[in-house]
Amino acid sequence: MIQLSSAIPRRGVRVVAAAVVLLFLAVLARQAPALPSSDKRPIAVSLASSATAVPLGGTFGFTGTVHVPAATSYVQARLQVHLPSGRLVFQRTQYEPTPKEGVHTYSFSRPLEGLGLQSGSYPVTFSLQSVVDGSDVTTEVTTMLRVYDPKQTPVPVVLLAKIHTRPQSTPEGRFIIDPASSSATRARDEIDRIAAMVLADPSAKVSLSIAPITLAEWRRMAGSGYTLTSGTVVPANNPVPVSYGAALAHLQQALSTGRLELLTMGNADPNLADLDANKLDGDVGAQYDEGLSACYASIETTPSSGTAPAGGCVPRAVQGAVLSRGVTYTFADSQPTRIGKRTAATGVYPAADSSLTVIVVDSKASKDLDSGDASATITRAFDRLGGAKTKQPVALRIDLTDSTSDATATVGLALAAVESTPWMTLILGKEARAPRNARKVSFVPSPTRHAPANFWSTVRSARVRAIGLIAALSSSDDQASSAQANSLTAESSAWADPSATWAQAATGLSFARAALRTAEDVFGAIQISAEQITFAGATGNVPVNVRNNSKKTLTVVLQSKAYGGVRIAGSQLTTMTLPPRETFVQIPVDMRSVLHGQIAIQVMAGSVVVAKQTVTVRRSYLDRLAFIGGIILVLGGMLGWIVLRVRTSPDIDDDGPDGSRSRRTRNQPANHGRHQKPRRDSGGHDDLPIPNDDEVPARYTESHPAHPIDSDKS
């Protein structure tokens, strides 16, 4: 094999190479005719680096692998390193005449000293030229030469392993799937292997997420065995329950190292965006309360202050409930997160709506990890080395599902990639901190689509009745706790599964309906009776009989509302204790000024109307007659006063010729004080009346005599 060093003048190398190629082509042209271009056979080429990155002052190395086919005349392999601007800074060529068929490797190395390279990434090209069956073949692959400053702070990497499980038992506690089957043992084995990795590798750090209800099922099996739906009973000393107990013990041991953290989760790992969208956001607190209890009961360990809910979203409406349960940070997918109008890049940010810290996962790098490729992770982390986002961690999530081929191997790949790279370092989620200049991130919830039409309405009804049972009995009552557990399990994200097919929706609905049946068994035994009643006076009491036909004592609220103008004299809400018998209670009513009205009576447990009845209340007949008589007397008195007032009031006339007004009483004649209108006789002459002296107004006699006489004519 001939090596042409870059120290040889470039022009001389080209001349020698061209001469050699022409010589061989001439020989080949005499021996065999060239094949048509359609018969060209490509040569498989790959390029590997000796290190993911090279420190300043170090030496880089690359190895090209070539699968040389038969009838190959020669192979010329060349490696070039360029600056980002495109300028060539390194080139080396290897030439091999008449290579044998098979795999050939070509190695290139060079100290960085003298090349003028600083921290950063530089394009590398590996090209191959050859003649195969008389045809020219050129193949080229590219990669990057990464150079870093060892004095720089390593890029933090957070690794989240999320194990997706679903409840394996029925609402009655029997197991649908045999815990000994491979589909059931998968999650157990994943937990066991991750714990083993952490215990064996002092550098390994993993944040772990699993639904607490799964751990509770394992503990129940380990403690008392299990029963299948077929009726088969498996005792606790059977190897299968023992293996689940051993897995929990192994998990406890790994958690005690401080390098494995178990995240705080809702008991059934609900999708918080789904709860928010279906008016069930008030259940987030109950989910996390149940989850904390299940974790402590299963492994006697309090989880860390982080969470990683299904769907990777914590809507604003539920952040307060999550924070009040001791959660301070959450893992989130990039899709529902926003910084302004843009999707948030992987890193750690403060939440815009609360004091919650948000760790945004790198979705692309995580998918590449699932396929066995860690290059995207390395590239993402290296891009942050020495840049503006130096202190921003890279977060990766590995989903362990039924469809994952080997999830634990993916965790191992991620650990190895980070640990073998000196400029990356593993941290736990609780160790991640948002840089001071980090912008705030908000959530844009995206609920799971294609849920069955009646799914969430049934679940919501089950939750309302379960809460009512707790209010009527107590959280420690067996029926109330059963309804609570089943209704919360119905909210699990497992029924939609990660691909949102809702293949297990029927199982989820079975838990909701079981909670509804439990509530009906208790509330259906409550009856209320009240009869129509007539009061002797304006006030009275409505007797109500509440009968509890169950075997338990309930605490309920008697709610009464008045309609039709009547009024409840006392409180409209009365807390009652109902023992298993009849309970008598009276509701004081004030009829005020109405003759009849209605009283609506309800027995409430939480917000559930357990029983209700409407009662009509009336005044007595005597009371009504007295009431009507009083009204008649008042109206008659008013009418008499009006008549008297009209009769005694004077009339006012305005017939005076000068416009003066005269007054008369009703005893005076109508023409008193007036001039009578002249009457005409049968001849058409006016028959003038001769008024008396006292009938003539003084002003008229003094100023205007009735018949003035001309003195001269007299």
Side-chain angles (χ1 to χ4, degrees), residues 326-585:
V327 174
T328 60
Y329 71 93
T330 180
F331 286 88
D333 290 348
S334 58
Q335 188 272 333
T337 58
R338 296 289 186 275
I339 296 179
K341 295 183 179 180
R342 301 179 62 182
T343 301
T346 180
V348 184
Y349 306 90
D353 304 308
S354 67
S355 60
L356 198 65
T357 298
V358 182
I359 302 177
V360 179
V361 171
D362 190 329
S363 301
K364 182 182 183 305
S366 299
K367 289 180 180 178
D368 291 342
L369 270 178
D370 289 339
S371 63
D373 181 12
S375 60
T377 300
I378 295 172
T379 300
R380 182 78 73 185
F382 188 83
D383 290 343
R384 297 193 169 188
L385 188 65
K389 297 181 179 179
T390 303
K391 296 183 180 179
Q392 272 289 24
V394 173
L396 305 170
R397 186 188 66 209
I398 300 173
D399 292 300
L400 313 177
T401 66
D402 292 340
S403 60
T404 309
S405 57
D406 192 351
T408 309
T410 306
V411 175
L413 173 65
L415 292 175
V418 176
E419 291 174 358
S420 63
T421 307
W423 42 269
M424 290 195 294
T425 182
L426 284 165
I427 64 171
L428 295 174
K430 64 183 179 182
E431 298 171 335
R433 297 292 182 271
R436 292 183 179 179
N437 60 346
R439 298 182 63 184
K440 293 186 177 182
V441 67
S442 58
F443 287 96
V444 180
S446 179
T448 307
R449 298 179 180 180
H450 311 305
N454 65 334
F455 184 86
W456 287 113
S457 60
T458 304
V459 172
R460 186 164 51 248
S461 180
R463 286 296 301 137
V464 168
R465 281 157 178 75
I467 294 171
L469 267 183
I470 292 176
L473 298 170
S474 71
S475 58
S476 59
D477 180 84
D478 55 348
Q479 286 182 295
S481 61
S482 174
Q484 174 82 338
N486 286 332
S487 60
L488 290 176
T489 302
E491 297 177 340
S492 174
S493 60
W495 313 130
D497 65 55
S499 57
T501 62
W502 291 93
Q504 303 296 324
T507 306
L509 285 173
S510 69
F511 282 91
R513 289 167 180 150
L516 290 172
R517 287 194 300 271
T518 302
E520 181 60 26
D521 289 344
V522 177
F523 294 151
I526 307 301
Q527 297 175 346
I528 184 172
S529 61
E531 301 294 337
Q532 175 179 316
I533 187 171
T534 300
F535 295 150
T539 60
N541 294 321
V542 176
V544 179
N545 211 8
V546 183
R547 184 173 184 82
N548 179 9
N549 293 318
S550 72
K551 297 180 180 179
K552 297 185 176 182
T553 299
L554 282 72
T555 301
V556 297
V557 173
L558 188 70
Q559 182 185 63
S560 53
K561 291 183 179 180
Y563 299 93
V566 299
R567 181 177 70 87
I568 304 298
S571 174
Q572 293 186 353
L573 300 175
T574 304
T575 302
M576 298 176 57
T577 300
L578 300 180
R581 54 178 174 80
E582 288 187 347
T583 301
F584 179 78
V585 65

Side-chain angles (χ1 to χ4, degrees), residues 45 58 135 138 185 225 311 358 403 415 435 444 446 478 520 615 642 660 711:
V45 177
S135 299
T138 301
T185 60
V358 182
S403 60
L415 292 175
V444 180
S446 179
D478 55 348
E520 181 60 26
V615 180
I642 292 171
S660 61
S711 60

Side-chain angles (χ1 to χ4, degrees), residues 39-101:
D39 292 336
K40 290 180 181 179
R41 287 181 288 175
I43 298 178
V45 177
S46 62
L47 182 65
S49 175
S50 60
T52 55
V54 181
L56 290 173
T59 299
F60 71 82
F62 290 93
T63 300
T65 302
V66 180
H67 293 264
V68 178
T72 300
S73 301
Y74 75 96
V75 171
Q76 177 181 287
R78 176 175 293 165
L79 186 80
Q80 294 177 326
V81 179
H82 297 81
L83 294 178
S85 62
R87 185 170 70 86
L88 181 68
V89 296
F90 172 81
Q91 176 176 282
R92 182 164 294 176
T93 305
Q94 297 183 20
Y95 181 81
E96 185 177 3
T98 61
K100 295 181 179 181
E101 180 183 1

